[in-house]
Short mmCIF file of all heavy atoms in Angstrom, two decimals:
data_model
loop_
_atom_site.label_atom_id
_atom_site.label_comp_id
_atom_site.label_asym_id
_atom_site.label_seq_id
_atom_site.Cartn_x
_atom_site.Cartn_y
_atom_site.Cartn_z
N THR A 5 -73.84 -9.38 -7.06
CA THR A 5 -72.48 -8.86 -7.31
C THR A 5 -72.45 -7.64 -8.23
O THR A 5 -71.45 -7.00 -8.30
CB THR A 5 -71.68 -10.03 -7.96
OG1 THR A 5 -72.33 -10.32 -9.14
CG2 THR A 5 -71.60 -11.28 -7.06
N GLN A 6 -73.54 -7.29 -8.84
CA GLN A 6 -73.66 -6.14 -9.75
C GLN A 6 -74.00 -4.82 -8.84
O GLN A 6 -74.63 -4.97 -7.82
CB GLN A 6 -74.73 -6.30 -10.78
CG GLN A 6 -74.46 -7.48 -11.76
CD GLN A 6 -73.19 -7.16 -12.64
OE1 GLN A 6 -72.98 -6.08 -13.01
NE2 GLN A 6 -72.44 -8.23 -12.83
N PRO A 7 -73.40 -3.73 -9.36
CA PRO A 7 -73.75 -2.47 -8.64
C PRO A 7 -75.20 -2.14 -8.78
O PRO A 7 -75.86 -2.56 -9.78
CB PRO A 7 -72.76 -1.48 -9.32
CG PRO A 7 -72.50 -2.06 -10.61
CD PRO A 7 -72.54 -3.52 -10.43
N PRO A 8 -75.74 -1.29 -7.90
CA PRO A 8 -77.15 -0.93 -8.07
C PRO A 8 -77.34 -0.06 -9.30
O PRO A 8 -76.51 0.67 -9.64
CB PRO A 8 -77.53 -0.18 -6.81
CG PRO A 8 -76.13 0.25 -6.26
CD PRO A 8 -75.18 -0.76 -6.69
N VAL A 9 -78.55 -0.10 -9.89
CA VAL A 9 -78.81 0.64 -11.10
C VAL A 9 -79.40 2.06 -10.67
O VAL A 9 -80.22 2.09 -9.70
CB VAL A 9 -79.88 -0.12 -11.95
CG1 VAL A 9 -80.33 0.69 -13.14
CG2 VAL A 9 -79.35 -1.42 -12.34
N ASP A 10 -78.93 3.05 -11.24
CA ASP A 10 -79.36 4.41 -11.07
C ASP A 10 -80.68 4.61 -11.87
O ASP A 10 -80.70 4.59 -13.08
CB ASP A 10 -78.40 5.47 -11.48
CG ASP A 10 -78.72 6.77 -11.15
OD1 ASP A 10 -79.70 7.01 -10.40
OD2 ASP A 10 -78.05 7.75 -11.71
N PRO A 11 -81.80 4.86 -11.24
CA PRO A 11 -83.13 4.93 -11.95
C PRO A 11 -83.19 6.18 -12.78
O PRO A 11 -84.01 6.29 -13.72
CB PRO A 11 -84.22 4.86 -10.87
CG PRO A 11 -83.50 5.05 -9.60
CD PRO A 11 -82.09 4.84 -9.77
N THR A 12 -82.41 7.21 -12.48
CA THR A 12 -82.40 8.49 -13.21
C THR A 12 -81.65 8.41 -14.55
O THR A 12 -81.85 9.18 -15.35
CB THR A 12 -81.94 9.66 -12.34
OG1 THR A 12 -80.58 9.28 -12.02
CG2 THR A 12 -82.77 9.78 -11.13
N ASN A 13 -80.80 7.51 -14.55
CA ASN A 13 -79.92 7.29 -15.83
C ASN A 13 -80.69 6.36 -16.80
O ASN A 13 -80.96 5.23 -16.46
CB ASN A 13 -78.62 6.74 -15.45
CG ASN A 13 -77.58 6.68 -16.60
OD1 ASN A 13 -77.94 7.18 -17.66
ND2 ASN A 13 -76.41 6.17 -16.38
N SER A 14 -80.93 6.90 -18.01
CA SER A 14 -81.72 6.09 -18.94
C SER A 14 -80.74 5.36 -19.90
O SER A 14 -81.28 4.53 -20.67
CB SER A 14 -82.65 6.98 -19.79
OG SER A 14 -81.83 7.93 -20.52
N LYS A 15 -79.49 5.54 -19.92
CA LYS A 15 -78.57 4.79 -20.76
C LYS A 15 -78.33 3.54 -20.22
O LYS A 15 -78.21 3.29 -18.91
CB LYS A 15 -77.18 5.60 -20.82
CG LYS A 15 -77.27 6.76 -21.66
CD LYS A 15 -75.92 7.33 -21.98
CE LYS A 15 -74.86 7.25 -20.88
NZ LYS A 15 -73.61 7.77 -21.07
N PRO A 16 -78.18 2.36 -20.97
CA PRO A 16 -77.85 1.12 -20.54
C PRO A 16 -76.38 1.07 -20.04
O PRO A 16 -75.59 1.82 -20.59
CB PRO A 16 -78.04 0.18 -21.64
CG PRO A 16 -77.97 0.97 -22.83
CD PRO A 16 -78.40 2.38 -22.42
N ALA A 17 -76.14 0.33 -19.00
CA ALA A 17 -74.82 0.24 -18.44
C ALA A 17 -73.82 -0.48 -19.39
O ALA A 17 -74.34 -1.48 -20.00
CB ALA A 17 -74.84 -0.43 -17.11
N ASP A 18 -72.65 -0.06 -19.52
CA ASP A 18 -71.70 -0.84 -20.36
C ASP A 18 -71.16 -2.01 -19.56
O ASP A 18 -70.38 -1.77 -18.62
CB ASP A 18 -70.56 0.14 -20.77
CG ASP A 18 -69.61 -0.53 -21.81
OD1 ASP A 18 -69.95 -1.65 -22.27
OD2 ASP A 18 -68.54 0.11 -22.13
N SER A 19 -71.59 -3.25 -20.03
CA SER A 19 -71.21 -4.44 -19.22
C SER A 19 -69.86 -4.88 -19.50
O SER A 19 -69.29 -5.68 -18.76
CB SER A 19 -72.23 -5.50 -19.47
OG SER A 19 -72.21 -5.86 -20.80
N SER A 20 -69.19 -4.37 -20.63
CA SER A 20 -67.89 -4.88 -20.97
C SER A 20 -66.80 -4.19 -20.13
O SER A 20 -65.72 -4.76 -19.92
CB SER A 20 -67.56 -4.59 -22.43
OG SER A 20 -67.55 -3.25 -22.78
N VAL A 21 -67.00 -3.01 -19.53
CA VAL A 21 -66.05 -2.33 -18.74
C VAL A 21 -66.58 -2.40 -17.29
O VAL A 21 -67.64 -1.90 -16.93
CB VAL A 21 -65.91 -0.92 -19.15
CG1 VAL A 21 -64.92 -0.14 -18.30
CG2 VAL A 21 -65.49 -0.80 -20.64
N PRO A 22 -65.81 -3.06 -16.39
CA PRO A 22 -66.31 -3.06 -14.99
C PRO A 22 -66.20 -1.71 -14.39
O PRO A 22 -65.30 -0.92 -14.69
CB PRO A 22 -65.27 -4.06 -14.32
CG PRO A 22 -64.16 -4.09 -15.26
CD PRO A 22 -64.50 -3.71 -16.51
N PRO A 23 -67.01 -1.46 -13.40
CA PRO A 23 -66.95 -0.17 -12.74
C PRO A 23 -65.63 -0.05 -11.95
O PRO A 23 -64.96 -1.11 -11.58
CB PRO A 23 -68.16 -0.18 -11.70
CG PRO A 23 -68.60 -1.62 -11.61
CD PRO A 23 -68.09 -2.29 -12.93
N ALA A 24 -65.18 1.19 -11.68
CA ALA A 24 -63.93 1.42 -11.10
C ALA A 24 -63.87 0.82 -9.68
O ALA A 24 -62.71 0.49 -9.17
CB ALA A 24 -63.61 2.94 -11.04
N ASP A 25 -64.93 0.79 -8.93
CA ASP A 25 -64.97 0.35 -7.57
C ASP A 25 -65.13 -1.13 -7.47
O ASP A 25 -65.45 -1.65 -6.46
CB ASP A 25 -65.95 1.01 -6.76
CG ASP A 25 -67.31 0.81 -7.30
OD1 ASP A 25 -67.50 0.39 -8.41
OD2 ASP A 25 -68.30 1.07 -6.48
N SER A 26 -65.01 -1.94 -8.73
CA SER A 26 -65.24 -3.39 -8.71
C SER A 26 -64.13 -4.07 -8.03
O SER A 26 -63.01 -3.62 -7.92
CB SER A 26 -65.30 -3.71 -10.18
OG SER A 26 -65.33 -5.14 -10.21
N ALA A 27 -64.39 -5.25 -7.56
CA ALA A 27 -63.46 -6.04 -6.81
C ALA A 27 -62.61 -6.81 -7.78
O ALA A 27 -61.57 -7.38 -7.40
CB ALA A 27 -64.18 -7.08 -5.95
N TYR A 28 -62.89 -6.75 -9.11
CA TYR A 28 -62.04 -7.47 -10.15
C TYR A 28 -61.00 -6.62 -10.67
O TYR A 28 -61.17 -5.31 -10.82
CB TYR A 28 -63.00 -7.99 -11.25
CG TYR A 28 -64.01 -8.95 -10.80
CD1 TYR A 28 -65.36 -8.55 -10.72
CD2 TYR A 28 -63.70 -10.22 -10.47
CE1 TYR A 28 -66.29 -9.40 -10.28
CE2 TYR A 28 -64.67 -11.13 -10.01
CZ TYR A 28 -65.92 -10.67 -9.95
OH TYR A 28 -66.97 -11.53 -9.57
N PRO A 29 -59.81 -7.09 -10.98
CA PRO A 29 -58.76 -6.19 -11.50
C PRO A 29 -59.15 -5.79 -13.01
O PRO A 29 -59.88 -6.46 -13.67
CB PRO A 29 -57.52 -7.16 -11.50
CG PRO A 29 -58.06 -8.51 -11.46
CD PRO A 29 -59.40 -8.44 -10.80
N SER A 30 -58.54 -4.74 -13.42
CA SER A 30 -58.72 -4.22 -14.71
C SER A 30 -57.70 -4.70 -15.64
O SER A 30 -56.45 -4.48 -15.31
CB SER A 30 -58.80 -2.67 -14.65
OG SER A 30 -58.90 -2.12 -15.98
N TYR A 31 -58.04 -5.24 -16.75
CA TYR A 31 -57.10 -5.79 -17.77
C TYR A 31 -57.14 -4.90 -18.96
O TYR A 31 -58.27 -4.32 -19.30
CB TYR A 31 -57.40 -7.19 -18.11
CG TYR A 31 -57.22 -8.17 -16.96
CD1 TYR A 31 -58.28 -8.70 -16.31
CD2 TYR A 31 -55.98 -8.50 -16.55
CE1 TYR A 31 -58.05 -9.53 -15.22
CE2 TYR A 31 -55.82 -9.39 -15.49
CZ TYR A 31 -56.84 -9.92 -14.86
OH TYR A 31 -56.63 -10.77 -13.79
N PRO A 32 -56.10 -4.79 -19.77
CA PRO A 32 -56.12 -4.01 -21.01
C PRO A 32 -56.98 -4.70 -21.99
O PRO A 32 -57.19 -5.94 -21.94
CB PRO A 32 -54.74 -3.94 -21.43
CG PRO A 32 -53.95 -4.95 -20.71
CD PRO A 32 -54.75 -5.24 -19.45
N ALA A 33 -57.58 -3.97 -22.93
CA ALA A 33 -58.41 -4.55 -23.99
C ALA A 33 -57.67 -5.47 -24.80
O ALA A 33 -56.44 -5.35 -25.20
CB ALA A 33 -58.93 -3.44 -24.91
N SER A 34 -58.26 -6.55 -25.28
CA SER A 34 -57.71 -7.62 -26.02
C SER A 34 -57.53 -7.18 -27.44
O SER A 34 -58.39 -6.54 -27.99
CB SER A 34 -58.47 -8.95 -25.91
OG SER A 34 -57.96 -9.89 -26.80
N THR A 35 -56.35 -7.53 -28.12
CA THR A 35 -56.22 -7.20 -29.46
C THR A 35 -56.57 -8.32 -30.44
O THR A 35 -56.58 -8.21 -31.65
CB THR A 35 -54.71 -6.87 -29.84
OG1 THR A 35 -53.94 -8.00 -29.38
CG2 THR A 35 -54.27 -5.68 -28.93
N THR A 36 -56.93 -9.53 -29.88
CA THR A 36 -57.39 -10.59 -30.70
C THR A 36 -58.85 -10.38 -31.18
O THR A 36 -59.70 -9.89 -30.34
CB THR A 36 -57.27 -11.97 -30.01
OG1 THR A 36 -58.01 -11.87 -28.88
CG2 THR A 36 -55.86 -12.24 -29.68
N PRO A 37 -59.18 -10.75 -32.40
CA PRO A 37 -60.50 -10.54 -32.87
C PRO A 37 -61.47 -11.55 -32.13
O PRO A 37 -61.09 -12.66 -31.73
CB PRO A 37 -60.49 -10.84 -34.36
CG PRO A 37 -59.21 -11.67 -34.56
CD PRO A 37 -58.30 -11.22 -33.45
N ALA A 38 -62.76 -11.18 -31.99
CA ALA A 38 -63.70 -12.00 -31.40
C ALA A 38 -64.01 -13.26 -32.28
O ALA A 38 -63.91 -13.16 -33.47
CB ALA A 38 -64.93 -11.27 -31.02
N ALA A 39 -64.46 -14.23 -31.76
CA ALA A 39 -64.83 -15.41 -32.51
C ALA A 39 -66.12 -15.13 -33.27
O ALA A 39 -66.95 -14.34 -32.83
CB ALA A 39 -65.14 -16.67 -31.63
N PRO A 40 -66.27 -15.72 -34.54
CA PRO A 40 -67.48 -15.39 -35.32
C PRO A 40 -68.71 -15.89 -34.59
O PRO A 40 -68.66 -16.93 -33.83
CB PRO A 40 -67.17 -16.13 -36.63
CG PRO A 40 -66.20 -17.11 -36.32
CD PRO A 40 -65.40 -16.57 -35.24
N ALA A 41 -69.83 -15.19 -34.79
CA ALA A 41 -71.06 -15.62 -34.12
C ALA A 41 -71.56 -16.90 -34.79
O ALA A 41 -71.25 -17.25 -35.89
CB ALA A 41 -72.14 -14.50 -34.35
N TYR A 42 -72.43 -17.64 -34.08
CA TYR A 42 -72.96 -18.93 -34.59
C TYR A 42 -73.87 -18.58 -35.79
O TYR A 42 -74.65 -17.74 -35.85
CB TYR A 42 -73.81 -19.59 -33.43
CG TYR A 42 -74.52 -20.82 -33.94
CD1 TYR A 42 -73.70 -22.01 -33.92
CD2 TYR A 42 -75.78 -20.88 -34.24
CE1 TYR A 42 -74.36 -23.21 -34.35
CE2 TYR A 42 -76.36 -22.09 -34.59
CZ TYR A 42 -75.65 -23.14 -34.68
OH TYR A 42 -76.18 -24.32 -35.14
N GLY A 43 -73.65 -19.40 -36.83
CA GLY A 43 -74.44 -19.22 -37.95
C GLY A 43 -73.80 -18.37 -38.95
O GLY A 43 -74.26 -18.11 -40.10
N GLN A 44 -72.68 -17.66 -38.67
CA GLN A 44 -72.10 -16.87 -39.59
C GLN A 44 -71.32 -17.63 -40.65
O GLN A 44 -70.83 -18.70 -40.42
CB GLN A 44 -71.11 -15.95 -38.90
CG GLN A 44 -70.41 -14.86 -39.75
CD GLN A 44 -69.50 -14.01 -38.90
OE1 GLN A 44 -69.31 -14.18 -37.74
NE2 GLN A 44 -68.85 -13.05 -39.57
N ALA A 45 -71.34 -17.03 -41.92
CA ALA A 45 -70.66 -17.78 -43.02
C ALA A 45 -69.20 -17.93 -42.70
O ALA A 45 -68.56 -16.97 -42.13
CB ALA A 45 -70.95 -17.01 -44.29
N PRO A 46 -68.61 -19.03 -43.14
CA PRO A 46 -67.21 -19.24 -42.96
C PRO A 46 -66.38 -18.32 -43.83
O PRO A 46 -66.89 -17.67 -44.73
CB PRO A 46 -66.94 -20.66 -43.28
CG PRO A 46 -68.07 -20.99 -44.24
CD PRO A 46 -69.17 -20.17 -43.76
N ALA A 47 -65.11 -18.17 -43.51
CA ALA A 47 -64.28 -17.30 -44.23
C ALA A 47 -64.18 -17.84 -45.71
O ALA A 47 -64.34 -19.03 -45.94
CB ALA A 47 -62.88 -17.24 -43.63
#
Side-chain angles (χ1 to χ4, degrees):
T5 60
Q6 296 294 322
V9 178
D10 183 15
T12 60
N13 187 3
S14 62
K15 288 191 325 183
D18 186 9
S19 63
S20 65
V21 179
D25 62 343
S26 173
Y28 299 107
S30 176
Y31 294 106
S34 175
T35 58
T36 59
Y42 179 75
Q44 183 177 2

